[in-house]
Amino acid sequence: MFADLILPLAVPGLFTYALPADLQSVAPGMRVAVPFGRGRKLYSGLVRRVHNDHPGYRTVRSVLSVLDTAPVVTAEQLDLWEHMAEHYLCSLGEVMIAALPAQLSLSSETRLVAAPQAAQEASIKGRGELLLQALLAREVMTLAEAGELLGLKDPMPAIKKLMDQGALQLEEELRSTWKPRMVTYVALRPEALDEEVLHTWFDKLEKAPKQQHLLMRYVELSRCMSDAPREVERSKLVHLSGTTNAMVATLVEKGLFLLYEREAGLPPEGALNKPPPALSQAQSKALGEVRRAFDTKEVVLLRGVTSSGKTEVYSALIDEQLEAGRQVLYLLPEIALTTQIISRLRARFGDRIAVSHSRMPQHERTALWLRCVQGEHPPPIIVGARSALFLPFQNLGLVVVDEEHDPSYKQHDPAPRYNARDMSILLAAPFKAKVLLGSATPSMESQHNARSGKFGRVDLSVRFGDVAMPNILRVDLRDSAKRKLMRGNFTSTLIETIEGALKRKEQAIIFQNRRGYVPVWQCETCSWVPECDHCDVSLTYHKLDHRLRCHYCGRNYPPPTSCGHCGSPRLRMLGFGTEKVEEELGELFPEARIARMDQDTTRGRQALDRILTSFGEGAVDILVGTQMVTKGLDFERVSVVGILNADRLLKFPDFRAHERAFQLMAQVAGRSGRRDTPGTVIIQAQDIHNPVLDLVVNNDVDGMYTREAEHRQAHGYPPYTRLVELTLKHRYEDRVTSTASALALALREGLGERVLGPEIPIVARIRDRHLRKLLVKIRRTAHASEKAFVRDTIDRVFSDKQHAAVQLVTDVDPQ
Ligand code: ADP
Ligand code: ZN
Ligand code: ZN
């Protein structure tokens, strides 16, 4: 017998191996250990098919061992992977690498570390013990080295067993920065929750006025909480009462307080499984319409304005699925920014929710995976970022894609460069599950599909509580500069609006889609600009560490004191990033508390949580940030949003620039005035008559669609065509140029003018490699055959030795 395997490699196709007599009980979806290539490299391959057809070549290698006793991948997943490989023009192996938790995908190269504590608990003996001891001495070992040490030709089964026992981990686990922030809470012991008992405590503490004061502050702070345990964060309590952790500890000892830790953002136990809130009339109507639309459509687009309460509509639908005993996948664009939504869902659905994202520790990912595929009680609800799509579902009933327009649903690197929104429709199909796409600013693609009748469509066009949509004003930057009404990058209108909000103790969000301090230094004499030595791109100055940084390769350089070309000491700074905005805000509003949210301030999850928590608690007045601040934040005291430089968004050289600019501005505007405080949005721009700004001011999603659709149709862009972007890279420019021309020529033979390029991209060199781009427009009506042609042509051109060394990145449906 033979088995066709998927190997975790970027090589196309399946690989056939012979199954020795004692291993023939293996089934599709199980892993086996096999040798591959020259040398003694081992891989864990996944069985796709077991059969009797000899592959026809002389030496068929044999499977060495079977690693699983039950499938770890389902038939539906294998089908989905095949669809993805075909759609995104990549190999099945690449899809598998993206899909499987790293612990389930082993090779000789896998780097192992010991997890001694778990090892002790599992009391590992014999060979395993030997290996663990060696690992404790050497820290890291590859799977191949471990095999040598153990004297095993095929160490995979032994390694897998140790991993199952928790004694071994992958090295990458050690580097994970994505640890949750733990918060310590103070609450009264249950017996002290009584008015009278509390009075006796006050009396008892008469002689310790500081402790009495601490108790007083606790009572004040927790009074507004109706649910037990009426907890207060310890740091907050200590800060506001001017006491110390030690004093809190004293009251714990005396038997008054309880102290415990919990992951930030998780609701207290007492608040779990809260009864659902009553839906507003508009929400109920939308819910009914979604249900009805699902009678005839697999996919429904819910277009709900910002703060319309889409989450509650999703939750009602989730309830129905749970009652029917089916699973729900709730996709969010970026798990980092969604603590708020997760804690809302947790409060309602409790431990029926499992959270999944690619930055969680590998052993947790693996455990969740195995629970989904083999467990008796797979989690009913999975909330996750795009990679959650790959989990093995058993009985999927509904996929919710929240903020479906968000570009983060697209994976850029490595392959498969998939869009989780699009793939969720393929995921749902074999289960006959429904897909709900939600957004206030839906993508052109989804709107197009809703208009053509492929998707159902439901509108929710009022904010929850009938709160008014924000009032959006435009301010002319040129005119303000002429009339000397600018202070730094702020117009007097925006300054006054922020001032007003601060006086009323309201909050503001300032959006500038560029990080760092200034993006460009330029010589006043000869226009020289400092660039990265390894990329053709100007360097961004970061003031905090006084360095110039390349945002493409991450290298940094000391700032120049004079022009690198003519030697002139006169350099001027062009443009501005969030770091500069933060500094200017500090000068304009010296009393205000300001925080910055961008890639530089949120490297770990804790930092991000801290910023959002302090903003939520009102410990920050003004939040400045990049596109991160446009996403999903729901804070009730935000009354002002400022967009500092709309032109930069609008002038971006990409066919999606206007769509994106509209989405970003409408979304960030939607952060304001979400409760009682009416919202004001100030858009600063040079070109205030840009028609896209009119559409933003009127929140005119349909108008935006019509305008864009005309343009896209005329020029043959999505949603009217499908794009395949081909990026070629090589150290030598002439090599990349000649391969790009050869590829373009070959593609034109079948697709003619629908092949654009080769073009030199704006950033023409990254990490010492020269780039060329080709863009292929595929007709929707013939996309299978045309894509097959693209794939074959690529294979043909790159089989030529002269081109083989040029690297190719294939991106289908680029964002
Ligand atoms: P969206 O996702 O559409 O922007 P949200 O779901 O975040 O809106 O809802 C906006 C706010 O209104 C949230 O703070 C939410 O708690 C509140 N809200 C929405 N629906 C209800 C409801 N039926 N009852 C009580 N509060 C609601
Ligand atoms: Zn110069
Ligand atoms: Zn660089």
Side-chain angles (χ1 to χ4, degrees), residues 487-490 510 512 514-521 540-544 572-588 594 596 598 600 624 644:
R487 289 182 63 192
N489 291 291
F490 288 78
I510 306 296
Q512 166 62 5
R514 212 160 203 192
R515 66 194 167 98
Y517 191 77
V518 284
V520 183
W521 290 28
T540 300
Y541 177 57
H542 288 251
K543 194 171 183 183
L544 190 68
R572 68 175 154 223
M573 299 189 183
L574 299 177
F576 60 100
T578 43
E579 203 184 347
K580 178 131 193 241
V581 175
E582 185 187 20
E583 186 182 275
E584 288 183 0
L585 280 167
E587 285 158 14
L588 290 167
I594 299 156
R596 169 160 61 95
D598 57 28
D600 299 320
V624 37
L644 293 183

Side-chain angles (χ1 to χ4, degrees), residues 682-698:
I682 309 278
I683 303 181
Q684 299 187 158
Q686 310 241 343
D687 174 18
I688 54 163
H689 300 296
N690 189 308
V692 175
L693 292 182
D694 282 329
L695 296 161
V696 173
V697 168
N698 298 318

